[in-house]
Amino acid sequence: MEDFLILGAGIFGTSTAYYLSKQHPQSSITIIDRHPFPITAAGSIDAGLGASYDVNKIVRADYSVPFYMNLAHEAIDSWASWDLIKKFYHRSGWIALGAKDSDLGTRIRKNFKTCGREDVTSDVSLDEAKQRWNGVLGDMSTDGIGSAYFNPSAGWAEADKAVAALLSEAIESSEGRVKYQKGEVAKIVLNESNEGVKGVDLVDGTTVNARKVILATGAWTSKVMSPLEDQLGISEERRAESQVKAAGVVAMHWRLSTELEEKYGQMPVIIYGEQGEFQPPTPSHILKMVWADSFTNYIVLPSGRRISVPPHPEVSQYDVPENLKKKAFETANLIMPSLLTNGTEITHWRLCWDSITPEQHQLITRHPDSRLNNLYLVIGGSFHSWKFLPIIGKYAVNVIDGVSNGEEKDRNWAWKEHGWQKGGLKGAHEKVLPTADLQDYK
C-alpha cells in the first residue's frame, strides 16, 4: 500500500508530488496519469490532454485580486531564481490592451501600487503599441480598445518542459519512493467499511491502494468522482460538479520561418481586451494564440445528472469544430491580420481543458463528506494557475497534513457551500467563465 496516491500529473499533481517527497522523505508516493512520462505538449500524438501540457503559459502578477497578485509574485520569485526551472522562464513583458468599457487594467495597476513592490507598469498609447516590438501590432484594430499598459516584469514559460523537469526531480531525487505509473482510472474504491477510500481500480484491471488519495484530475474530476458520489448517495452540494466544471478554450498555432522569428521573437505577451491573447514564439518557433471565450461540454450520466467533461479521449484534442475555428480566427485577425495573410500556415488547432470554479479560486481541500476523510482535491486551475507550479504544492501538502495555510488561503481554497448557486462570480480571472457549450459550435 502506498502512503500517497496522486491522480493526475499536471501542475497540481506534479507540484504536490515534489513537496510531499520533501516533507515526507520516508513515504511512498505514486503518481498516475493516462500518458507515458514525460508528457509532451500539444502537437504530438501522445500529447497531454490537460491544460498543464502546452507549449507555453503566461507567468504574470497582473491580477485585479490582491491575494493572487501576492501569490503570483511569490511564484515569479521562484521562476527567476530556481535553477531547475528558470531556464524555461522568459521575461518578455506583456502589453494589456483594455476595452473601452473595462476598468480591469485600472484595478490591476491600483493593486501594483499597493502590494508593497515597485510598480514597473507604464501607460502605452495605442499609436506607440503599433510601432514597438518590430511593428507586430502595426495593423491591429483598435476599435473598442480604450487604453494600454506595459508590464516588463511579466512573461511566459515553456510549459511542458517545466512540468517535466519538476516531476523528474521529484522522482529521481526520491531514491525510488516516488513512482510514476501510466494508467487511466476506472473508479475510486471505498474501504470495506465505506469509511474512507482504499485506492483506485484502473482501466487495465490493476488496483493501486493508498492511505491518502489526492485528486489532481482537473477537468476530469466530475467524471472520476461521479460513480463514487452515486454509490454513496452524496448530496448535490457535496458533489464535485458543485465546485468545479470542465471548461475548454481553443488555441491556434503557427510555426514561424526564420525570417518571421526575427520579427516576432522580441514581442511581449499580448492581451487584447477580453477577447484573446498571443504569446511569444517558443525556442522551436511556435507562435500561439488563445481565444478567450471558454465553453463547457455537458453530458448526461446514466443517473440523469448533467456534468461538464472533456470529450472522450478517443475524440482528438485537435478536432476543433469549424465554427469555433472561425471565431478564433476572427479575433486573431483583429490583433495581427498580417500574420494571417503572409502565407504562414496554421500548424494545428487545440482544445485545451481545465477545471474552473465560480470565483476562479483553486480548490485545495479535504473532501467534506466524512466518509471520504482521506480523499483530497487539488484542482480548479481556472485557466490562470499554471504559473503557480513552483509553489502550489507546498500549500497542498499543508492541507493534506492538516496544517493551516493561514486564514485567507484556507478560506479561498476551501469547499464552497454556495457552489455555483450564485452563478459565476467576478474573481481572480472572471473573463474565463464559460459562455457557451462545445455543442453550440457544431
Side-chain angles (χ1 to χ4, degrees):
M1 176 179 285
E2 300 297 301
D3 293 306
F4 301 99
L5 173 60
I6 301 172
L7 306 181
I11 70 114
F12 287 113
T14 292
S15 192
T16 300
Y18 176 82
Y19 282 100
L20 273 175
S21 71
K22 304 306 178 186
Q23 293 293 104
H24 297 267
Q26 304 305 316
S27 296
S28 57
I29 303 164
T30 290
I31 307 142
I32 294 178
D33 196 281
R34 64 160 60 93
H35 300 287
F37 181 76
I39 304 174
T40 57
S44 63
I45 294 175
D46 292 326
L49 294 176
S52 293
Y53 289 93
D54 206 342
V55 293
N56 53 10
K57 291 291 188 185
I58 297 172
V59 178
R60 47 89 182 185
D62 304 58
Y63 277 99
S64 61
V65 178
F67 173 81
Y68 283 106
M69 180 173 283
N70 292 329
L71 194 70
H73 275 133
E74 180 187 347
I76 289 172
D77 289 344
S78 291
W79 279 110
S81 62
W82 193 355
D83 287 342
L84 179 66
I85 57 173
K86 69 181 184 180
K87 59 189 172 184
F88 304 118
Y89 171 53
H90 305 268
R91 187 168 282 184
S92 63
W94 92 344
I95 182 168
L97 298 145
K100 287 181 178 178
D101 58 351
S102 174
D103 67 343
L104 181 60
T106 300
R107 287 186 283 140
I108 289 172
R109 296 183 71 191
K110 180 181 178 181
N111 288 339
F112 274 123
K113 289 177 170 61
T114 59
C115 74
R117 299 203 181 204
E118 180 185 4
D119 177 18
V120 296
T121 64
S122 59
D123 291 312
V124 177
S125 71
L126 298 184
D127 285 340
E128 182 185 358
K130 289 187 172 189
Q131 295 170 13
R132 292 179 66 175
W133 307 297
N134 292 328
V136 296
L137 293 174
D139 50 2
M140 166 186 67
S141 171
T142 56
D143 292 344
I145 300 297
S147 62
Y149 78 88
F150 179 65
N151 179 6
S153 70
W156 59 279
E158 299 167 53
D160 61 328
K161 292 180 176 61
V163 177
L166 187 57
L167 188 50
S168 293
E169 175 67 16
I171 295 170
E172 293 169 6
S173 65
S174 71
E175 299 181 347
R177 294 178 295 101
V178 179
K179 299 184 290 292
Y180 185 97
Q181 182 172 339
K182 179 181 179 295
E184 184 172 354
V185 175
K187 67 176 182 178
I188 300 172
V189 181
L190 287 169
N191 283 317
E192 287 74 9
S193 62
N194 282 359
E195 293 294 329
V197 298
K198 182 178 181 180
V200 295
D201 286 343
L202 302 181
V203 171
D204 65 7
T206 61
T207 297
V208 183
N209 295 329
R211 293 180 174 85
K212 292 185 176 182
V213 176
I214 299 112
L215 296 188
T217 41
W220 288 265
T221 301
S222 285
K223 180 181 179 182
V224 171
M225 282 294 296
S226 287
L228 179 63
E229 293 166 339
D230 289 343
Q231 181 181 351
L232 292 175
I234 289 178
S235 59
E236 296 296 332
E237 66 273 12
R238 294 295 172 89
R239 287 177 172 259
E241 191 74 6
S242 76
Q243 303 296 301
V244 297
K245 59 179 68 175
V249 293
V250 63
M252 50 200 303
H253 306 76
W254 298 260
R255 186 178 297 277
L256 302 179
S257 65
T258 301
E259 179 182 355
L260 287 177
E261 167 65 23
E262 292 178 358
K263 176 178 181 178
Y264 292 94
Q266 301 305 311
M267 63 178 269
V269 174
I270 298 167
I271 307 298
Y272 188 79
E274 297 186 2
Q275 299 182 56
E277 61 195 37
F278 269 92
Q279 296 183 36
T282 68
S284 57
H285 299 184
I286 298 296
L287 180 66
K288 184 182 79 174
M289 181 267 183
V290 177
W291 187 49
D293 285 17
S294 76
F295 40 84
T296 52
N297 185 55
Y298 277 102
I299 64 170
V300 179
L301 299 173
S303 65
R305 290 186 171 85
R306 294 173 72 246
I307 62 172
S308 179
V309 297
H312 192 277
E314 291 180 359
V315 178
S316 172
Q317 60 183 314
Y318 311 123
D319 184 12
V320 178
E322 289 301 319
N323 287 332
L324 191 51
K325 290 181 180 180
K326 180 180 178 181
K327 290 287 187 180
F329 192 92
E330 289 171 352
T331 298
N333 194 48
L334 293 174
I335 307 171
M336 289 186 187
S338 61
L339 178 67
L340 307 183
T341 58
N342 65 11
T344 303
E345 294 185 2
I346 298 171
T347 58
H348 65 278
W349 296 80
R350 184 197 182 201
L351 296 177
C352 177
W353 294 93
D354 201 355
S355 56
I356 190 167
T357 67
E359 296 162 288
Q360 306 91 60
H361 290 307
Q362 297 88 12
L363 183 66
I364 306 175
T365 186
R366 186 171 70 175
H367 197 285
D369 192 296
S370 60
R371 295 167 294 180
L372 301 175
N373 58 14
N374 64 336
L375 180 65
Y376 298 83
L377 299 102
V378 188
I379 55 175
S382 301
F383 294 109
H384 73 98
S385 296
W386 191 93
K387 67 181 72 65
F388 302 122
L389 169 69
I391 63 170
I392 201 68
K394 67 181 179 182
Y395 297 115
V397 171
N398 282 342
V399 171
I400 294 165
D401 289 344
V403 176
S404 172
N405 282 310
E407 189 275 332
E408 189 175 24
K409 290 183 177 71
D410 290 349
R411 181 182 69 250
N412 287 340
W413 295 338
W415 191 278
K416 308 297 191 302
E417 293 302 326
H418 61 72
W420 289 92
Q421 294 174 9
K422 299 178 182 178
L425 302 173
K426 281 195 172 184
H429 198 38
E430 60 255 30
K431 74 176 182 180
V432 301
L433 289 166
T435 55
D437 192 84
L438 183 59
Q439 302 306 313
D440 298 332
Y441 297 105
K442 294 184 175 180

